[in-house]
Amino acid sequence: MDQREREGINDIESNEGSMDRNGSSSFDDDKELGMMQPLLERKRTMNTTSQIAVVGANVCSIESLDYEIVESDVYKEDWRSRRKDQIFQYVILKWTFALLIGLGTGLVGFFNNLAVENIAGVKLLMTSNLMLKNRHQEAFFVYAGCNLILAAAAAALCAYIAPAAAGSGIPEVKAYLNGVDAHSILAPSTLFVKIFGSIGSVSAAFVVGKEGPMVHTGACIASLLGQGGSRKYHLTWTCLRYFKNDRDRRDLITCGSAAGVAAAFRAPVGGVLFALEEVASWWRSALLWRTFFTTAVVAVVLRTLIEYCRSGKCGLFGKGGLIMFDLSSTTTTYSAPDLAAVILLGVIGGLFGSLYNFFVDKILRTYSIINERGPRFKILLVVIISLLTSCCSYGLPWLVQCTPCPSDALDKCPTIGRSGNFKNFQCPPGHYNDLASLLLNTNDDAIRNLFSGGTNNEFHVSTLIIFFVAIYFLGLVTYGIAIPSGLFIPVILAGASYGRLVAHIFNPISDLDNGLFALLGAASFLGGTMRMTVSVCVILLELTNDLLMLPLVMLVLLISKTVADSFNKGVYDQIVKMKGFPYMEAHSEPYMRNLAAGDVVSGPLITFSGIEKVGNIVHALKSTGHNGFPVINEPPFANATELCGLVLRAHLLVLLKKKKFSKERVDIGNGENFQRFGAFDFAKGGSGKGMKLEDLCVSEEEMEMYVDVHSIANTSPYTVFETMSLAKTAVLFRELGLRHLIVVPKTTGRFPVVGILTRHDFTHEHIVGLFPKIKKHG
């Protein structure tokens, strides 16, 4: 390996953001194509050959994760030497972690609900009391002022402490479980801001939900436990060293994401299915059991705490159970006209959902320009959206007329001093404002009002139209600003409102209650935006306690997803792509069938000998961004040149730090290496805490010495022939969760390694750079 080769590698791999590739070409055409740059990156001057991610509009490098087990000699010796009690301890710890994740996520979910209900409840009571006294201007200033303070606080937390906490967090968790890591997405500071920022943003009357942030919160809790705490904040537990690897953390974070859904929707089975369908890229039966156990713990925690609150000790927190919107009291019988309504709702949901995703894409790209200007502009944007939301929530109810209270109303009308379907607003006694009961309310109460049965005549058509347009618009402009925000709530609200509109059309010929139409409308919009079917179906059934609606919910989800798939991808898939995460799909692209694995491998290639000079290793680590290096044995250490294994950059740094060097190029044997190293010496540190080359101090004398890398090399790396089709190679790479895949020659008598495939080499941008005539859907 001469100096010219090393400089060539340095030119194309100056940043780890290139996804640890060992030998891949640079992207000279990226500036023209603009495809590698997430969101609007044209004004950035950094290295365009590096993939970057925009997390909260902050640029950060991304890395692949080492989900593959490194079966080195040190690792094998460690497992051989483990006693039965140590193996039993490892298994017990797995289930203990599942228990702790469920407990932690359940407590945080309850705390979020408790805080939101009390903060928003006090704000709405103050506004309502002033309205009753006809002090309308003061009421608006109190309402808008409280919203502004809460919104600015949430934005300041995101802008200055943890930019990665902005948004829902589901795309980041989805990318992590696919094998992509971005800085700080699971850090303790992100967890802190996610919790309190979510409380602030939801309490500030934004059209956002806490469900997406709860998924991210559960993942952060799982990550914090899995890495043994936080070394930065001096909260560590050395006994948890077994889980200091990406593979075990991946399983824990999968449990955390499922627990987040279970805590947000109080839907334990839906949480498991959400993790399986939407976020997890790898699944197995053992993980299914642990995830199910975690969500069951969440359900028990929530049930216990909610029962405690039934005595009225939780302030304004509601007294509901695990079933948030009970529709079981309504009669569920349906006929042919009802099926026609379901089909219509499915088509509408698919059209509106795909249009929603299109606008989300455009708005996020626009907001990125503003957010790039710094924290002050992020906060300013949040303040503007907060004022717009307050004006709409308070101002739009003035456009509708007061409605006389129904004579057969089961609830008190108008409802004063509490939430309900009959908001008084500016109306005289005995009348209510139906739009105020939806807009000037918490999001959960608005959904409850729309889903409520026996209320066919309580919401006028004009009210539902205004509410749908307002929620659709506010949901779009709110997502993407610097606050924790989920998409579930605005989508459910908008879907439920047009579901009731369709109900008004079909009321003369349909037997379904308008509340059931609202449920079906929410399902159709969820299917059209998020493209989830099984998990959304179960979540909605757990939310509403109406099993008889299962066939209709399934039908509307399938239709809406099919219609929306004709136009674009799901919203989370779009955001993953916009943020620059190199996500590996479960399927290969059609054009990959015409290429072989060897076609996309490019050099130069860096390899190490089994007994390598220290100076060569240090120089290679300095001049490249590679994270994997093939280890080659040559005579006299082998009968012929052969592939010995693959060694990781992180493990080489540990090896160099130990300074177990020799002056002669001799094999010191595994026995001595086992005495020098333990498997936990190579355990991965917490987020951003890995060893760096700058931490090493190697003298000039030591640079001329030799070090044995045999014992730390993965002696059984995955390899493919250079003639294997790229489509088959991509599926293999994704299904096994690999970071490096070695390509070997088909014929004998050649160098044992052709190159290394990494996540980067399967990207469309890289392949088009090598073969410009290829079309993505060719």
Side-chain angles (χ1 to χ4, degrees):
M1 181 177 66
D2 58 24
Q3 182 66 26
R4 179 177 53 83
E5 289 177 327
R6 287 170 176 163
E7 289 175 351
I9 297 171
N10 192 37
D11 287 341
I12 66 173
E13 300 239 278
S14 60
N15 189 296
E16 178 51 31
S18 58
M19 292 166 295
D20 53 79
R21 54 194 170 98
N22 193 338
S24 298
S25 66
S26 61
F27 303 136
D28 295 330
D29 296 330
D30 281 348
K31 291 182 180 179
E32 297 177 6
L33 297 175
M35 300 182 71
M36 293 296 289
Q37 298 175 328
L39 300 181
L40 293 180
E41 296 289 336
R42 290 190 293 270
K43 295 183 180 180
R44 294 197 173 110
T45 58
M46 62 188 302
N47 181 7
T48 57
T49 68
S50 301
Q51 283 229 345
I52 52 179
V54 175
V55 183
N58 267 15
V59 181
C60 65
S61 60
I62 54 179
E63 290 189 16
S64 293
L65 296 166
D66 291 302
Y67 288 153
E68 182 185 3
I69 295 177
V70 179
E71 292 186 337
S72 63
D73 292 334
V74 172
Y75 172 85
K76 293 175 184 177
E77 177 63 22
D78 175 72
W79 270 105
R80 284 193 294 264
S81 62
R82 284 192 184 182
R83 303 185 306 273
K84 288 185 178 180
D85 62 312
Q86 291 177 314
I87 297 174
F88 181 73
Q89 180 187 7
Y90 172 70
V91 175
I92 291 297
L93 277 174
K94 280 187 174 181
W95 288 96
T96 303
F97 271 137
L99 173 65
L100 294 176
I101 292 169
L103 286 172
T105 309
L107 289 171
V108 170
F110 176 77
F111 172 71
N112 276 11
N113 279 287
L114 183 67
V116 168
E117 291 290 334
N118 279 282
I119 295 172
V122 169
K123 175 190 69 179
L124 292 171
L125 277 176
M126 293 168 58
T127 306
S128 177
N129 290 336
L130 290 170
M131 290 288 293
L132 290 173
K133 298 175 182 178
N134 292 323
R135 296 160 64 180
H136 299 147
Q137 291 183 346
E138 293 179 35
F140 172 73
F141 286 121
V142 168
Y143 179 73
C146 290
N147 289 342
L148 193 62
I149 293 171
L150 292 168
L157 287 174
C158 280
Y160 289 105
I161 298 178
S168 71
I170 292 178
E172 287 82 359
V173 174
K174 185 173 182 176
Y176 186 95
L177 294 178
N178 188 259
V180 180
D181 191 14
H183 181 64
S184 296
I185 62 172
L186 298 174
S189 58
T190 303
L191 173 61
F192 172 82
V193 173
K194 206 74 180 183
I195 295 172
F196 292 97
S198 178
I199 292 172
S201 60
V202 176
S203 302
F206 281 120
V207 185
V208 297
K210 52 186 177 294
E211 288 71 21
M214 273 306 304
V215 174
H216 196 177
T217 298
C220 288
I221 292 172
S223 176
L224 187 64
L225 289 170
Q227 66 190 32
S230 171
R231 284 197 292 178
K232 179 179 179 182
Y233 300 102
H234 305 291
L235 298 171
T236 57
W237 301 274
T238 55
C239 62
L240 305 182
R241 62 188 184 278
Y242 294 113
F243 297 88
K244 289 185 177 291
N245 62 82
D246 289 332
R247 188 182 182 89
D248 282 319
R249 286 179 192 165
R250 175 189 68 189
D251 292 348
L252 293 176
I253 290 169
T254 303
C255 291
S257 62
V261 174
F265 288 109
R266 308 176 201 173
V269 179
V272 176
L273 293 175
F274 176 85
L276 170 62
E277 183 179 8
E278 181 63 19
V279 296
S281 293
W282 297 281
W283 198 263
R284 59 184 188 278
S285 58
L287 181 59
L288 174 66
W289 281 107
R290 282 204 300 278
T291 307
F292 186 70
F293 173 69
T294 304
T295 57
V297 172
V298 173
V300 171
V301 170
L302 290 176
R303 171 69 72 181
T304 303
L305 294 173
I306 288 171
E307 287 296 327
Y308 172 79
C309 286
R310 285 184 182 274
S311 59
K313 298 178 181 179
C314 299
L316 298 174
F317 183 71
K319 299 180 180 180
L322 290 180
I323 299 165
M324 296 177 70
F325 319 111
D326 195 348
L327 296 178
S328 59
S329 59
T330 58
T331 303
T332 309
T333 57
Y334 39 87
S335 56
D338 300 324
L339 294 179
V342 169
I343 294 172
L344 176 62
L345 280 172
V347 174
I348 293 173
L351 294 174
F352 278 137
S354 59
L355 186 65
Y356 195 89
N357 294 357
F358 172 80
F359 285 130
V360 165
D361 181 282
K362 301 302 180 185
I363 290 171
L364 284 178
R365 293 178 185 275
T366 304
Y367 281 173
S368 70
I369 301 174
I370 302 172
N371 291 336
E372 284 172 5
R373 299 175 67 89
R376 289 179 296 176
F377 285 88
K378 292 182 182 180
I379 297 173
L380 178 61
L381 179 60
V382 171
V383 167
I384 293 173
I385 301 299
S386 176
L387 291 174
L388 174 64
T389 303
S390 297
C391 290
C392 290
S393 299
Y394 188 86
L396 290 178
W398 293 90
L399 300 178
V400 301
Q401 295 181 348
C402 294
T403 305
C405 289
S407 57
D408 57 345
L410 299 177
D411 296 330
K412 185 178 179 181
C413 179
T415 52
I416 297 174
R418 60 187 179 87
S419 61
N421 290 48
F422 307 103
K423 284 283 185 180
N424 179 258
F425 201 60
Q426 89 289 7
C427 296
H431 293 71
Y432 71 96
N433 189 307
D434 56 349
L435 186 54
S437 67
L438 299 177
L439 283 174
L440 209 65
N441 217 335
T442 63
N443 291 330
D444 283 352
D445 284 336
I447 295 174
R448 189 173 287 107
N449 293 343
L450 288 169
F451 280 8
S452 60
T455 57
N456 290 6
N457 299 317
E458 289 182 8
F459 300 101
H460 294 95
V461 172
S462 57
T463 295
L464 293 172
I465 293 173
I466 294 172
F467 180 73
F468 170 72
V469 173
I471 291 298
Y472 197 93
F473 171 73
L474 289 175
L476 284 170
V477 299
T478 304
Y479 193 80
I481 61 178
I483 57 170
S485 54
L487 282 170
F488 276 96
I489 289 299
V491 168
I492 291 175
L493 283 170
S497 59
Y498 72 67
R500 277 188 170 262
L501 283 171
V502 172
H504 279 280
I505 300 174
F506 282 86
N507 271 344
I509 58 174
S510 174
D511 296 327
L512 289 181
D513 187 87
N514 282 20
L516 297 179
F517 270 102
L519 170 65
L520 293 172
S524 70
F525 205 8
L526 284 169
T529 53
M530 300 177 185
R531 314 297 160 83
M532 295 181 289
T533 53
V534 179
S535 56
V536 167
C537 182
V538 173
I539 287 171
L540 289 175
L541 292 178
E542 288 187 279
L543 279 176
T544 57
N545 192 31
D546 195 354
L547 190 60
L548 294 176
M549 288 294 290
L550 176 62
L552 298 184
V553 173
M554 292 172 64
L555 181 61
V556 78
L557 282 169
L558 289 172
I559 294 173
S560 61
K561 182 183 185 304
T562 303
V563 171
D565 281 339
S566 303
F567 298 97
N568 49 33
K569 290 186 175 182
V571 64
Y572 295 131
D573 292 323
Q574 286 189 175
I575 296 172
V576 164
K577 183 177 180 181
M578 280 190 290
K579 290 197 171 187
F581 294 124
Y583 188 85
M584 288 284 292
E585 298 287 353
H587 58 84
S588 60
E589 295 292 345
Y591 62 79
M592 291 183 177
R593 301 181 190 133
N594 302 320
L595 298 172
D599 294 335
V600 298
V601 171
S602 52
L605 176 71
I606 306 293
T607 63
F608 292 135
S609 299
I611 311 296
E612 185 59 81
K613 197 173 184 179
V614 173
N616 290 344
I617 297 177
V618 172
H619 192 91
L621 295 179
K622 282 183 177 179
S623 59
T624 73
H626 304 335
N627 269 302
F629 303 87
V631 179
I632 306 297
N633 266 352
E634 298 175 329
F637 301 104
N639 295 329
T641 303
E642 63 181 12
L643 173 64
C644 177
L646 182 80
V647 64
L648 299 179
R649 168 185 285 265
H651 295 179
L652 285 172
L653 292 173
V654 174
L655 186 67
L656 294 176
K657 187 175 182 179
K658 291 284 185 178
K659 296 192 175 183
K660 303 297 183 180
F661 308 144
S662 59
K663 294 184 179 180
E664 303 295 331
R665 193 168 184 262
V666 294
D667 190 345
I668 61 176
N670 284 339
E672 189 173 342
N673 271 324
F674 294 153
Q675 296 175 4
R676 294 177 175 181
F677 302 105
F680 295 119
D681 291 332
F682 302 97
K684 184 173 182 178
S687 205
K689 298 299 180 182
M691 190 183 302
K692 299 178 181 178
L693 187 62
E694 294 77 15
D695 301 331
L696 301 180
C697 182
V698 183
S699 65
E700 290 296 328
E701 181 182 357
E702 289 171 333
M703 295 282 272
E704 299 299 321
M705 300 176 73
Y706 295 89
V707 63
D708 188 348
V709 300
H710 285 111
S711 59
I712 67 169
N714 184 1
T715 56
S716 55
Y718 287 98
T719 60
V720 295
F721 283 124
E722 60 184 339
T723 54
M724 179 183 283
S725 74
L726 189 61
K728 188 175 181 180
T729 307
V731 173
L732 174 71
F733 189 94
R734 204 266 195 185
E735 291 298 319
L736 294 175
L738 301 180
R739 185 177 190 178
H740 306 96
L741 182 59
I742 298 178
V743 180
V744 296
K746 180 71 172 178
T747 56
T748 59
R750 296 166 56 188
F751 192 71
V753 178
V754 174
I756 292 183
L757 289 175
T758 63
R759 185 176 294 265
H760 162 82
D761 297 300
F762 295 100
T763 60
H764 176 66
E765 293 77 15
H766 169 62
I767 297 173
V768 168
L770 297 175
F771 306 97
K773 295 183 179 180
I774 287 181
K775 302 295 182 183
K776 184 171 183 179
H777 300 290

